[in-house]
Amino acid sequence: IRVGGTSPTSKNVISANDAGITAGSGTTDLQVVGNFIGTAIDGITPLGNETGITLGGASDSLIGALQDNASNTIAFSRFSGITVRTAGSVHNAIRQNSIHSNGQLAGQGIDNSEGGNAELSPPVITGLGSLHGTACANCEVDIYSDSEDEGRIYEGTVTADANGDWAYDGPMTGPFMTAIANDADKNTSEFSAPFSLATPTPSPSPTAPPTPTPTPTATPVNTITPVPTLGPGLHQGDLNCDGEIDDADFLLLLEFVADVFDGNQSFPCLDIGEPDGETDFDWGDLNCDGVIDGLDALQLIAFRAGFLDVPHGVACTPIGQRI
């Protein structure tokens, strides 16, 4: 199955959909080449999709290619640009595309989950001079520039040695550099953490003298209790499990209540409406009354406004506390 091509007349605009391209179990040899996914025909104007490409059991796919005019632009997805999900989704090569500005609500550029693409570990960029780092042994490492943490501009490819070490001396547009790994079985990893071109490679420095312990100060009276900083794990109200209770959680809940989002989250987290496994209530039922509705959204508004003592149902975990 081939979607798109390298000639101007064979390229497609796949935008403004719930799902741009979806390939399910049993799909093999899918090729997605030279398309604009999430943009207008100019490759710039944002139109978006919920998710750009979803491979849910597909195998032996090629998204992009190692030839001119074959890369796809995959941008402006509300969730992930490319999702590769389930253990049956393997040997899916994602090469030399322009992937950027995805995850506007939640997600990332490339999301391998539930065994997708063998959940190949992404490279690690460790320093400049030559851009260098580590990856899986003998893997090909594609280098990208981006303004955030994806890969807007493909810069070049190097091969890691038997120890996994690699170095790249080609162009670097920046301001951040990222990388993806590609193993011999044609599995492609997620993007590495971004590395700033302005970040100097750290060097040893003398040990600083101990900092004097500050003198305790009196606790102010009549201050508003701040919203607590959340640690790792599941916290009531952090619906997308990113460590913060913020507008993204509120939007997820509103879309679920309005029946425009089915609750199936494309990142490592409970689906909205799924039993949390620790209490008798579903993920997203913030007041624990047995339904997920506008009252739960009001709980989030009250919490975000700093009113922490909002009422909860019986045996309910207060917003901000660990489930």
Side-chain angles (χ1 to χ4, degrees):
I1 303 172
R2 185 180 180 93
V3 180
T6 58
S7 68
T9 57
S10 62
K11 298 176 182 290
N12 299 289
V13 174
I14 304 171
S15 300
N17 301 288
D18 286 342
I21 297 173
T22 300
S25 178
T27 303
T28 59
D29 299 317
L30 170 67
Q31 296 183 37
V32 181
V33 178
N35 301 287
F36 300 101
I37 302 173
T39 73
I41 191 66
D42 59 8
I44 299 172
T45 304
L47 297 177
N49 292 290
E50 290 293 289
T51 299
I53 299 174
T54 299
L55 305 180
S59 61
D60 299 293
S61 303
L62 175 61
I63 299 173
L66 304 178
Q67 64 186 89
D68 293 340
N69 301 314
S71 66
N72 302 281
T73 296
I74 304 167
F76 305 114
S77 302
R78 285 166 59 80
F79 296 100
S80 292
I82 302 173
T83 295
V84 185
R85 179 183 296 150
T86 79
S89 290
V90 291
H91 317 313
N92 298 298
I94 304 170
R95 305 299 301 266
Q96 300 186 11
N97 300 283
S98 176
I99 303 173
H100 66 90
S101 307
N102 297 288
Q104 296 176 337
L105 185 60
Q108 55 201 58
I110 300 172
D111 179 16
N112 294 330
S113 61
E114 302 172 29
N117 267 352
E119 294 194 45
L120 182 67
S121 297
V124 176
I125 301 174
T126 56
L128 289 172
S130 294
L131 190 74
H132 59 276
T134 58
C136 43
N138 302 312
C139 286
E140 291 189 328
V141 180
D142 293 342
I143 308 298
Y144 293 84
S145 288
D146 196 74
S147 58
E148 295 178 324
D149 57 357
E150 300 179 44
R152 182 186 292 266
I153 301 171
Y154 166 72
E155 302 284 24
T157 298
V158 295
T159 301
D161 64 20
N163 295 318
D165 296 321
W166 57 268
Y168 170 75
D169 293 313
M172 292 186 286
T173 307
F176 296 103
M177 305 304 297
T178 61
I180 56 177
N182 304 277
D183 68 13
D185 292 326
K186 298 183 179 179
N187 294 302
T188 296
S189 74
E190 298 177 351
F191 283 101
S192 69
F195 189 93
S196 174
L197 292 182
T199 302
T201 302
S203 58
S205 58
T207 303
T211 302
T213 302
T215 302
T217 57
T219 302
V221 179
N222 297 327
T223 58
I224 297 175
T225 304
V227 174
T229 300
L230 302 180
L234 298 180
H235 291 78
Q236 179 77 299
D238 182 14
L239 299 184
N240 61 5
C241 306
D242 64 354
E244 297 181 300
I245 298 175
D246 54 18
D247 291 343
D249 302 298
F250 179 70
L251 290 173
L252 277 173
L253 193 54
L254 283 184
E255 290 192 342
F256 183 84
V257 171
D259 203 25
V260 296
F261 172 48
D262 64 7
N264 185 18
Q265 307 209 53
S266 59
F267 37 87
C269 187
L270 292 175
D271 293 339
I272 295 179
E274 176 184 357
D276 63 34
E278 298 291 337
T279 72
D280 294 329
F281 301 101
D282 295 337
W283 194 236
D285 183 10
L286 303 184
N287 63 358
C288 303
D289 63 356
V291 293
I292 300 175
D293 55 18
L295 293 177
D296 300 295
L298 291 176
Q299 295 275 359
L300 273 180
I301 293 174
F303 181 83
R304 295 276 288 150
F307 301 110
L308 302 184
D309 295 327
V310 292
H312 293 84
V314 176
C316 184
T317 304
I319 296 176
Q321 290 190 14
R322 190 186 302 276
I323 295 294

